[in-house]
Amino acid sequence: MIQTTSEENYLKTIFHHAGLSNNAVTTNDIAASLGTKAASVTEMLKKLSAQKLIRYKKYNGVTLTDSGTKQALLIVRKHRLWEYFLVEKLKFSWDEIHEVAEQLEHIQSETLVERLDTFLEHPRFDPHGDPIPDKKGIIKKSDSQKLIDVTEKKEAIVNLVTDQPELLRYLSKIGISIGSKLKVIEKNSFDQSMLLLINGKSKVHISSSIANNISVQF
Amino acid sequence: MIQTTSEENYLKTIFHHAGLSNNAVTTNDIAASLGTKAASVTEMLKKLSAQKLIRYKKYNGVTLTDSGTKQALLIVRKHRLWEYFLVEKLKFSWDEIHEVAEQLEHIQSETLVERLDTFLEHPRFDPHGDPIPDKKGIIKKSDSQKLIDVTEKKEAIVNLVTDQPELLRYLSKIGISIGSKLKVIEKNSFDQSMLLLINGKSKVHISSSIANNISVQF
DNA sequence: ATATAAATTTAGGCAAACCTAAAAATAATA
DNA sequence: TATTATTTTTAGGTTTGCCTAAATTTATAT
Ligand SMILES: [Mn+2]
Ligand SMILES: [Mn+2]
Ligand SMILES: [Mn+2]
Ligand SMILES: [Mn+2]
């Protein structure tokens, strides 16, 4: 069965909130993410539940069924493939793409997704480092940790940042991108802010809320 | 002001029916094209008229205003650019693209259109030979005539076919594509059917309804 | 010129997706 | 535990874009 754009957005939001272990997601969280009101969410949950895309028990939050997860993964796949396309082929910068991908992810055509994937040579990560689910919905998660949790003073490589335009523009400004080498020079235990050495060159001080949105691997 | 997908489809339909001289288009024609009912069309015409995208006088059909024409041209531009992309980059065949382009043409992002156009190196015609309006909405129309009107027995080159999947598949089957060289060997004055020589090789008999959907130049 | 037919508009409804305000259930706190 | 606060659901509306059926206007044919 084909979903409406709105239904797809709800599925995707539930997926993002639930995390890999498919935790229950609350009505309010969904409303906040989608910029709608709780009453609207409740209505939609009933519809999705009737289609067996979610498990819904009044007042108990929702989880995705296998079918719902599959749908959500396909939308995420499309979103990330399009983001990759926009950056690699159309030369968009990483902070300009999310909005457009939000529209493109709803284009209905199985052929389109697969041919796009082929054209792009099966990319594994989108421009923010988020993994692109394969055709079967399989995501291989790389081992990375949040920069804020890094204690060692070894060199770390940026492999994931949060897809938020303002953050992304700020990171560009201070010279951080996917693949950047970071060394934590100093960590303020009071406010969790950090002094970083970026690519062995510039020293930059970042707040904890920035550090919380960057992940690295060693 | 931003139009809904539905409004955009109405504008585009009116544009296609009106032709270059912007003739008045009837309610019924619009309804037939869009697969809606006349009553629904009347309703939408009022909305478009209120936005000054069309000139509408009850019972008198509609014409596009300059603003409406501009909008319609942009949608046509997007449709054709995406069709070109699907064929040239994603290796779709010319009969598979219309449906997908119908969706893609409604993606809202000026930057996207312009970067796509640049990426594709400013194509002038879509895969069916339809001209792609430039950024300013200017279409350069090539001098071509319908195959059905060809009398001379000179060699003609196919430069435009109607974008209808079934027709396109049939043309592919008999070996006609954009750029094919055709010579009219025989013309039946009773049913307007023709015997063609295609690319100097195969002889094929086509009905008038096929000949009516192919245009050529000399 | 009338009568009939066709095209168009109006009237009244429906479904999707949103809303606000009120009611009900659950959670937190005194 | 009783009270208060928060979360969620229900009830009742709105807008968009569609529908059918009936009324109206315009076109066609006798
Ligand atoms: Mn994104
Ligand atoms: Mn992303
Ligand atoms: Mn087309
Ligand atoms: Mn075309």
Side-chain angles (χ1 to χ4, degrees):
Chain A
M1 211 225 202
I2 283 164
Q3 263 62 238
T4 64
T5 291
S6 193
E7 288 171 337
E8 289 190 340
N9 283 333
Y10 276 88
L11 290 175
K12 195 179 51 155
T13 297
I14 295 167
F15 178 79
H16 284 317
H17 270 86
L20 296 170
S21 40
N22 200 19
N23 311 306
V25 180
T26 68
T27 301
N28 263 356
D29 281 352
I30 298 169
S33 288
L34 291 173
T36 58
K37 295 298 159 73
S40 308
V41 174
T42 300
E43 233 176 40
M44 183 58 91
L45 294 183
K46 287 179 191 165
K47 288 180 202 160
L48 295 174
S49 181
Q51 294 176 66
K52 299 204 193 301
L53 295 164
I54 60 172
R55 276 175 289 269
Y56 172 55
K57 243 183 64 187
K58 274 188 193 176
Y59 297 100
N60 274 78
V62 290
T63 55
L64 291 170
T65 61
D66 284 358
S67 165
T69 302
K70 200 178 145 192
Q71 298 267 355
L73 279 163
L74 174 59
I75 304 159
V76 169
R77 171 169 164 76
K78 292 196 283 182
H79 183 99
R80 293 179 182 169
L81 278 174
W82 280 116
E83 286 195 341
Y84 185 92
F85 167 76
L86 293 172
V87 167
E88 295 301 320
K89 302 294 181 180
L90 299 197
K91 310 304 174 193
F92 277 72
S93 56
W94 69 350
D95 58 299
E96 298 174 315
I97 58 183
H98 183 76
E99 279 291 294
V100 183
E102 284 292 303
Q103 297 179 63
L104 287 164
E105 72 190 5
H106 301 292
I107 303 290
Q108 307 278 176
S109 166
E110 202 184 313
T111 315
L112 178 61
V113 194
E114 298 319 315
R115 302 232 169 130
L116 180 63
D117 187 46
T118 301
F119 175 60
L120 299 175
E121 301 179 277
H122 313 290
R124 313 246 295 298
F125 299 95
D126 83 1
H128 313 105
D130 282 305
I132 300 175
D134 72 13
K135 195 179 176 172
K136 291 179 182 165
I138 297 167
I139 291 183
K140 41 175 94 64
K141 59 165 191 278
S142 57
D143 59 329
S144 68
Q145 59 177 300
K146 288 192 168 182
L147 179 57
I148 199 155
D149 299 325
V150 171
T151 49
E152 303 132 277
K153 293 193 168 162
K154 284 196 300 178
E155 195 154 71
I157 295 167
V158 175
N159 67 359
L160 177 61
V161 298
T162 307
D163 183 0
Q164 283 169 357
E166 287 183 31
L167 170 73
L168 297 170
R169 278 190 289 277
Y170 182 70
L171 293 180
S172 294
K173 203 173 81 179
I174 63 177
I176 291 179
S177 58
I178 300 295
S180 292
K181 291 170 198 149
L182 303 183
K183 201 185 296 190
V184 178
I185 298 175
E186 217 177 285
K187 213 169 151 180
N188 185 328
S189 58
F190 177 67
D191 68 357
Q192 303 287 98
S193 69
M194 296 178 156
L195 183 62
L196 298 176
L197 182 67
I198 302 173
N199 288 322
K201 287 175 191 166
S202 55
K203 280 185 197 167
V204 173
H205 184 84
I206 62 168
S207 71
S208 67
S209 73
I210 299 292
N212 203 37
N213 284 289
I214 298 174
S215 295
V216 298
Q217 64 184 55
F218 289 97
Chain B
M1 210 226 202
I2 282 165
Q3 263 61 240
T4 64
T5 291
S6 193
E7 287 171 338
E8 289 190 341
N9 283 332
Y10 276 88
L11 290 175
K12 195 179 51 157
T13 297
I14 295 166
F15 177 81
H16 285 316
H17 270 86
L20 295 170
S21 39
N22 200 17
N23 309 309
V25 179
T26 67
T27 302
N28 263 356
D29 281 352
I30 298 168
S33 288
L34 291 173
T36 59
K37 296 299 159 74
S40 309
V41 174
T42 301
E43 233 176 38
M44 182 59 90
L45 294 183
K46 287 179 192 165
K47 289 178 202 162
L48 295 175
S49 182
Q51 294 175 67
K52 300 204 191 306
L53 295 165
I54 61 172
R55 276 175 287 269
Y56 172 54
K57 244 183 62 188
K58 274 189 194 180
Y59 297 100
N60 274 79
V62 290
T63 54
L64 291 171
T65 61
D66 284 356
S67 165
T69 302
K70 200 178 145 193
Q71 297 269 356
L73 279 163
L74 174 58
I75 304 160
V76 169
R77 171 168 164 76
K78 293 197 281 182
H79 184 101
R80 292 177 183 169
L81 278 175
W82 280 116
E83 286 195 340
Y84 186 91
F85 167 75
L86 294 173
V87 167
E88 295 301 320
K89 302 293 181 180
L90 300 197
K91 308 305 175 195
F92 276 72
S93 56
W94 69 351
D95 58 299
E96 298 174 316
I97 58 181
H98 183 77
E99 279 291 296
V100 183
E102 285 291 304
Q103 297 179 62
L104 287 164
E105 72 191 4
H106 301 292
I107 303 290
Q108 307 277 177
S109 166
E110 203 184 313
T111 316
L112 178 60
V113 194
E114 297 321 315
R115 301 232 170 131
L116 181 63
D117 187 45
T118 301
F119 175 60
L120 299 175
E121 300 177 277
H122 313 290
R124 314 246 293 299
F125 299 94
D126 84 1
H128 314 106
D130 282 305
I132 300 176
D134 72 12
K135 194 178 175 172
K136 291 179 183 168
I138 296 165
I139 290 184
K140 39 175 95 61
K141 57 165 195 273
S142 58
D143 59 328
S144 69
Q145 61 177 299
K146 287 192 171 186
L147 179 57
I148 200 152
D149 299 325
V150 171
T151 48
E152 306 131 276
K153 296 195 168 161
K154 284 195 298 176
E155 196 153 72
I157 294 168
V158 176
N159 67 358
L160 177 61
V161 297
T162 307
D163 182 2
Q164 284 168 357
E166 287 182 31
L167 170 74
L168 297 170
R169 278 190 289 277
Y170 182 71
L171 294 180
S172 293
K173 203 172 84 180
I174 64 178
I176 291 179
S177 57
I178 300 295
S180 292
K181 290 170 197 148
L182 303 183
K183 201 184 298 191
V184 178
I185 299 175
E186 216 178 285
K187 212 168 153 179
N188 185 326
S189 60
F190 177 68
D191 69 357
Q192 303 287 99
S193 69
M194 297 178 155
L195 183 62
L196 298 177
L197 182 66
I198 303 174
N199 288 324
K201 289 175 187 164
S202 55
K203 282 184 194 166
V204 173
H205 183 85
I206 63 168
S207 71
S208 66
S209 74
I210 299 292
N212 203 35
N213 285 288
I214 297 174
S215 295
V216 298
Q217 64 183 57
F218 292 97

